[in-house]
Amino acid sequence: SEHYETADRFPRHSSKFHTIMGGHYNPAAEPKADQDLQKLKDAHIPVAFRDKCAHILVDLNKCRRRTFYNPNKCEHERHTYEECQYYSYLQRVEAKKQQDVIMKARKAEIEASQK
């Protein structure tokens, strides 16, 4: 059966990943599953935004407050946050593909055992 792990298909350092992702990789934009919940609470991050990229949102919001939400400032932080959101999306897509392969295999097993 096919294996859809992102890391196995095209690791971040591989040329295929660089081609897909525009030729660069920003390790600061890596989604993290384990967030410091107290830090998020102290930074007043709403629960709806406490996802795998919330650790980047803390710094982005600090910059936004410091610059009075000037849209021309904090571009690097905003780009890093958006990049993290995109990487998180890619992870969810790959997880769904892997789940679909597993469910298809289970369905085939059930159909084979019923014959």
Side-chain angles (χ1 to χ4, degrees):
S1 77
E2 286 189 54
H3 189 65
Y4 278 97
E5 282 289 301
T6 304
D8 293 342
R9 288 185 59 211
F10 40 88
R12 301 239 186 268
H13 59 275
S14 76
S15 61
K16 185 169 184 171
F17 182 82
H18 289 302
T19 303
I20 291 170
M21 294 304 297
H24 77 282
Y25 169 64
N26 182 0
E30 189 68 33
K32 288 179 18 181
D34 56 334
Q35 299 288 333
D36 183 359
L37 297 179
Q38 188 60 45
K39 184 178 177 183
L40 299 178
K41 183 179 176 182
D42 294 343
H44 304 290
I45 303 295
V47 174
F49 290 95
R50 295 181 189 182
D51 59 1
K52 291 183 176 186
C53 298
H55 62 289
I56 300 169
L57 187 58
V58 171
D59 295 331
L60 175 58
N61 283 346
K62 282 181 187 177
C63 181
R64 286 173 169 166
R65 288 184 199 106
R66 188 175 60 247
T67 60
F68 300 102
Y69 289 84
N70 184 338
N72 298 324
K73 305 291 181 181
C74 309
E75 290 176 349
H76 176 71
E77 290 86 350
R78 187 176 70 245
H79 177 72
T80 302
Y81 178 70
E82 290 170 352
E83 195 172 12
C84 180
Q85 290 290 329
Y86 180 67
Y87 289 155
S88 181
Y89 165 76
L90 289 179
Q91 287 177 353
R92 290 191 307 273
V93 167
E94 289 298 323
K96 176 65 174 150
K97 287 180 183 177
Q98 186 177 9
Q99 182 183 25
D100 289 348
V101 168
I102 292 169
M103 293 305 290
K104 187 176 179 180
R106 285 184 185 168
K107 187 176 178 182
E109 281 180 18
I110 292 171
E111 289 175 357
S113 68
Q114 291 178 350
K115 287 183 181 179

